Amino acid sequence: MSEVVTYSREGAIGVITVNYPPVNALGHAVRSGLLAAVEQGQADGEAQVLLLVCEGRTFMAGADIREFGKPMQEPGLPQVIDAFENCRKPVVAAIHGTALGGGLETALGCHYRIALTSAKVGLPEVKLGLLPGAGGTQRLPRLTGAQKALEMITTGDFVAAPQALELGIVDALDDGKDAKAAGLAFAQSIADEGKPVRRVRDLTDKVEADKGSAIFDQFRAGLQKKARGLFSPFKCVDAVEAAFNLPFDDGMTRERELFMECMESPQRAGLIHAFFSEREVSKVPGLAADTPVRDVKSVGIIGAGTMGGGIAMNFANVGIPVTIVEVQQEALDRGLAIIRRNYENSAKKGRVTQAQVEERMALIKTSLSYDDFKDVDLVIEAVFENMAIKKEIFAKLDEVCKPGAILASNTSTLDIDEIASATKRPEDVVGMHFFSPANVMKLLENVRGSKTSDEVKATVMAVAKTIKKVGVLVGNCHGFVGNRMLHKRGAEAMALVNEGATPQQVDKVLTDLGYPMGQFAMSDLAGIDVGYRIREERRKAGEDVEASWMDKLAEQGRLGQKTQAGVYKYEDGSRAPVVDPAVDQIIADFRTEQGITPREISDQEILERCMYVMINEGAKILEEGIADRALDIDVVWIYGYGFPAYRGGPMFWADQVGLDTILSAVKKYHDSIGGEQWQPSALLDKLVNEGKAFGDL
Ligand code: T1G
């Protein structure tokens, strides 16, 4: 018997127990153990009914994702599930935690299922670029019908146990916390009532009801928008459809074919890299896992603007009281009104109850005095991007806040060390860069200053988890990781339009790559004046910043969505960008003024100059230790800027393009355009010379 799966008997019940932390993933050892255990149960004359349970935090959470991409070791999961399904004794699965993917598929191969009311079930393979590959697309529809099966399998969303009962996915619920006890009692009732073996594969009523339904094409049409650029959701529909067109065994064969197509797609590689990277970033190299973490039970926020309000909501959402300080009461009133409006909108969409809205609003206090910060554990400054103002604020915080309070800035680009220099506690100063809208975007870019203590680093990483953000710890430089790369992309995009491209052509290259919006649509959203002020400040500081047609937009008051016109125009209050011929004229006039003769620019050149300049900068960020690992950069871009997760992040994507291809293009642009941004990164050069990739670091 394997150590991870054991067989025992309790009365007339043969108990198969899986114990493979952390989530009982169905790795080779578990699959072999399950096969042996169900054969043992079959042979055990004393056992009338078999029970499958798991130890630890959850029922099986799916195939072991770490095995993907490696040669599959027998027995495969479908074979294991067949053994359960063809067992001549009734088999009961007792579900707790999250029965996901292959875990739920194994439960569907059992004859009966009981779940703790607190449990959830799901088939989230689509989120990994896959589809349920162990019968889920064939068995689930036989219990739920086409509509619900298609919804669950194409979204990967989890379903709570009570709803799973309604859908027929489970047969009973138990309000307790002990899945084994619930399972034993349920199995005993099956034995007492002499209930038969009931194979899901033999159920036909739902299949008959939806045979020939138009629902499959309707789902395909709906996915055109929802799953733009994705591969596996469409394969999910094909696989579920096979359950309604083919006998079970043929349907299983079709599912396997489609599963292998997904397994071989680069999107599966990208999504699994994103899955593990999202978890890896919380393990900061050089920061001991047992570094003490300070309690953060109350938070102060300076600034009730869009960012301050959004940041406040993150803490109120998890029950942490927040005090917002502003210099004027009307700013506080305005900020609080925006917060309430955001919550009311969420309530209208059913994301929160009205009671939760009131609970959260009650946790957000306002004040005009820093004195209200004297007991808080963490203060986050979220005011205008001006160093003098920030230093003044931090000097005041240093006086008011208690020893051990963490002083954080939400600055998106400015020097954390310089901010810290305004205090006598630089070890307690850190950057916490939220992304707008701060109550929605998952990324929290935590920025360590040169004196930030390990305890403060560990604490802000723990705060990220508490407020359900993906925290990435990065070093201190202009723009940190995300914006430093974004500024390079933005400068190239602007230059490409100076030289002859149109804004919409540039944006389309980026949205075709999978970004949710292009460079200029994003500028309109953020505000053209933001970039304009940064360029003007850099010019005042004596930097040689190239003139741009976007300066003309700002000077003409075309600031973006907030003025209904920027790079694009926005009609009737819509946020959909519409190409504006007036902008073409502004660009043409600018070119004339600058003596530029526009030229035809290819989409490939746009892709290379926007993306490769970012990769080159990312390599420099790694060289300088601003990011510890390439995967940190990938996570920053997926969760902060919408880089398509199915491409794994910019650095993972670069590895797939080929670093030699990228380096030769960087050298080409260094020769033709020049500038430090095209100075080839030494790390990029080294990796190419050694035939390595970012993934080898
Ligand atoms: N395989 C391997 N490791 C896994 C894993 C998995 N399926 N799921 C989680 N882990 C690790 C994770 O890397 C982390 O490791 C630890 O467990 C805790 O995870 C044939 C082909 C279960 C809801 O997609 O959604 O079945 O960092 O930090 O927030 O059709 O993990 O501690 O070293 O996320 O409480 C389908 C993916 C697979 C489920 C728990 N299953 N996992 O969330 O903890 S494909 C999934 C999750 C499949 C079949 C197909 C979540 C969770 P470490 P965590 P959590």
Side-chain angles (χ1 to χ4, degrees):
M1 181 54 66
S2 80
E3 314 83 69
V4 294
V5 180
T6 54
Y7 177 79
S8 58
R9 180 149 39 73
E10 303 206 15
I13 312 299
V15 182
I16 298 168
T17 307
V18 179
N19 185 11
Y20 185 52
V23 295
N24 291 311
L26 280 147
H28 174 248
V30 174
R31 299 196 303 272
S32 309
L34 283 170
L35 198 54
V38 73
E39 285 162 3
Q40 193 170 348
Q42 178 66 67
D44 179 353
E46 303 289 309
Q48 292 176 31
V49 173
L50 302 186
L51 171 64
L52 171 60
V53 289
C54 293
E55 299 276 1
R57 61 198 285 195
T58 178
F59 192 78
M60 291 169 283
D64 190 332
I65 305 174
R66 282 175 288 244
E67 287 184 351
F68 292 164
K70 297 173 188 161
M72 206 280 284
Q73 288 177 285
E74 298 296 336
L77 188 55
Q79 180 189 341
V80 174
I81 294 172
D82 281 351
F84 276 83
E85 187 166 62
N86 296 320
C87 179
R88 292 186 298 283
K89 301 175 180 177
V91 184
V92 172
I95 292 169
H96 73 291
T98 48
L100 302 175
L104 178 58
E105 290 175 296
T106 303
L108 295 178
C110 297
H111 305 119
Y112 298 92
R113 286 155 295 280
I114 183 168
L116 296 189
T117 308
S118 57
K120 292 190 174 85
V121 300
L123 293 174
E125 289 87 339
V126 70
K127 292 180 178 172
L128 300 174
L130 294 167
L131 55 80
T137 66
Q138 307 303 305
R139 290 191 177 93
L140 185 68
R142 283 174 163 80
L143 291 168
T144 65
Q147 172 74 32
K148 203 58 197 168
L150 284 166
E151 280 173 15
M152 283 182 67
I153 291 171
T154 57
T155 63
D157 290 348
F158 299 178
V159 167
Q163 192 188 356
L165 178 72
E166 274 173 40
L167 293 170
I169 299 171
V170 301
D171 306 293
L173 296 180
D174 179 285
D175 288 339
K177 296 187 181 329
D178 184 341
K180 182 177 176 181
L184 283 170
F186 189 61
Q188 191 55 53
S189 71
I190 301 273
D192 296 346
E193 293 160 33
K195 283 199 171 174
V197 162
R198 181 193 65 177
R199 301 189 312 172
V200 172
R201 61 176 289 162
D202 298 329
L203 302 176
T204 55
D205 57 327
K206 300 282 187 184
V207 170
E208 290 312 317
D210 287 335
K211 198 180 276 292
S213 159
I215 193 167
F216 303 102
D217 287 339
Q218 286 161 4
F219 252 79
R220 290 185 180 99
L223 287 172
Q224 291 303 331
K225 189 164 182 307
K226 268 188 290 190
R228 184 173 69 86
L230 286 170
F231 179 75
S232 70
F234 297 91
K235 299 299 174 185
C236 289
V237 178
D238 295 346
V240 173
E241 188 173 35
F244 295 83
N245 297 338
L246 299 172
F248 183 83
D249 289 333
D250 296 342
M252 287 296 288
T253 302
R254 181 70 181 128
E255 177 191 87
R256 178 55 46 182
E257 287 164 7
L258 293 163
F259 177 78
M260 289 317 293
E261 281 182 52
C262 294
M263 186 57 92
E264 275 130 37
S265 98
Q267 292 192 5
R268 185 269 305 160
L271 285 164
I272 285 176
H273 171 74
F275 173 86
F276 281 119
S277 300
E278 181 195 338
R279 288 152 180 81
E280 207 55 34
V281 291
S282 61
K283 299 164 195 161
V284 178
L287 190 61
D290 61 354
T291 303
V293 166
R294 293 179 195 165
D295 277 344
V296 176
K297 297 198 176 323
S298 61
V299 173
I301 290 176
I302 301 173
T306 311
M307 290 307 286
I311 295 169
M313 290 175 70
N314 289 308
F315 291 96
N317 291 349
V318 294
I320 296 176
V322 187
T323 302
I324 306 177
V325 164
E326 260 287 0
V327 289
Q328 290 168 343
Q329 187 57 42
E330 54 271 19
L332 286 175
D333 298 343
R334 194 171 48 245
L336 220 47
I338 292 171
I339 293 172
R340 174 168 285 280
R341 192 178 67 224
N342 287 338
Y343 278 138
E344 299 289 0
N345 287 341
S346 296
K348 279 194 202 105
K349 293 172 188 162
R351 292 197 191 124
V352 289
T353 64
Q354 197 53 42
Q356 284 172 320
V357 170
E358 299 313 327
E359 274 162 35
R360 292 174 188 186
M361 289 304 295
L363 285 168
I364 300 175
K365 300 282 181 267
T366 60
S367 163
L368 294 172
S369 162
Y370 277 57
D371 292 346
D372 286 306
F373 285 159
K374 63 184 179 358
D375 299 326
V376 298
D377 301 314
L378 163 67
V379 180
I380 302 173
E381 165 271 314
V383 302
F384 182 60
E385 279 292 86
N386 175 290
M387 181 56 81
I389 296 175
K390 291 185 189 297
K391 289 174 79 170
E392 198 183 304
I393 288 171
F394 273 74
K396 274 162 73 176
L397 289 175
D398 198 24
E399 282 160 28
V400 170
C401 294
K402 67 185 181 186
I406 294 173
L407 310 183
S409 172
N410 172 55
T411 179
S412 59
T413 56
L414 299 181
D415 184 342
I416 297 298
D417 285 338
E418 188 171 347
I419 292 172
S421 69
T423 74
K424 293 185 284 301
R425 59 172 102 183
E427 67 284 355
D428 289 340
V429 177
V430 69
M432 293 181 81
H433 176 209
F434 289 80
F435 285 72
S436 182
N439 54 307
V440 174
M441 294 301 283
K442 292 242 323 161
L443 180 68
L444 175 55
E445 198 176 27
N446 287 322
V447 187
R448 58 178 186 266
S450 55
K451 298 191 174 70
T452 305
S453 71
D454 281 358
E455 203 172 275
V456 168
K457 293 172 194 169
T459 303
V460 293
M461 291 301 283
V463 165
K465 276 198 170 153
T466 303
I467 61 175
K468 301 182 175 35
K469 298 288 184 189
V470 178
V472 183
L473 188 68
V474 301
N476 179 38
C477 68
H478 189 83
F480 317 132
V481 169
N483 280 347
R484 175 168 160 181
M485 293 167 71
L486 178 67
H487 292 160
K488 300 297 182 202
R489 188 186 83 178
E492 281 306 306
M494 273 198 293
L496 282 157
V497 173
N498 283 352
E499 295 167 36
T502 63
Q504 54 273 26
Q505 181 190 5
V506 172
D507 277 2
K508 187 173 181 306
V509 168
L510 294 173
T511 52
D512 285 353
L513 186 67
Y515 283 100
M517 62 167 59
Q519 178 72 32
F520 298 113
M522 197 176 76
S523 299
D524 274 354
L525 177 66
I528 303 280
D529 45 334
V530 173
Y532 177 69
R533 271 204 299 271
I534 290 174
R535 285 193 297 279
E536 284 299 289
E537 294 238 342
R538 289 173 58 200
R539 286 178 185 127
K540 275 185 215 142
E543 276 191 58
D544 172 23
V545 181
E546 190 180 358
S548 161
W549 55 278
M550 286 185 83
D551 295 338
K552 303 293 181 195
L553 298 184
E555 285 153 12
Q556 292 181 27
R558 294 180 68 105
L559 305 184
Q561 288 190 18
K562 58 187 164 188
T563 56
Q564 289 75 51
V567 177
Y568 300 97
K569 61 183 175 187
Y570 299 85
E571 293 163 339
D572 313 325
S574 159
R575 296 161 67 94
V578 176
V579 174
D580 186 348
V583 171
D584 296 337
Q585 190 54 53
I586 291 169
I587 294 169
D589 295 345
F590 174 79
R591 289 173 183 152
T592 306
E593 179 194 301
Q594 297 289 320
I596 297 171
T597 306
R599 65 182 173 89
E600 195 69 28
I601 297 184
S602 70
D603 287 356
Q604 181 59 26
E605 178 176 347
I606 292 171
L607 179 74
E608 290 179 358
R609 286 178 58 179
C610 286
M611 282 304 301
Y612 294 0
V613 78
M614 275 178 50
I615 303 307
N616 194 42
E617 199 65 25
K620 293 174 182 173
I621 283 169
L622 287 170
E623 275 169 50
E624 297 164 25
I626 297 296
D628 291 318
R629 302 158 292 191
L631 64 87
D632 294 289
I633 297 174
D634 287 333
V635 171
V636 163
W637 270 85
I638 289 169
Y639 291 103
Y641 301 85
F643 190 90
Y646 65 79
R647 295 194 189 278
M651 310 308 269
F652 188 88
W653 173 79
D655 283 350
Q656 296 201 326
V657 168
L659 297 192
D660 51 349
T661 302
I662 292 173
L663 180 61
S664 56
V666 168
K667 287 179 176 172
K668 173 179 71 176
Y669 293 121
H670 180 249
D671 296 343
S672 60
I673 301 172
E676 57 82 27
Q677 75 276 18
W678 291 112
Q679 176 61 43
S681 141
L683 174 64
L684 187 57
D685 208 48
K686 179 172 179 290
L687 288 173
V688 170
N689 290 335
E690 294 170 359
K692 288 187 178 161
F694 289 122
D696 298 319
L697 290 175

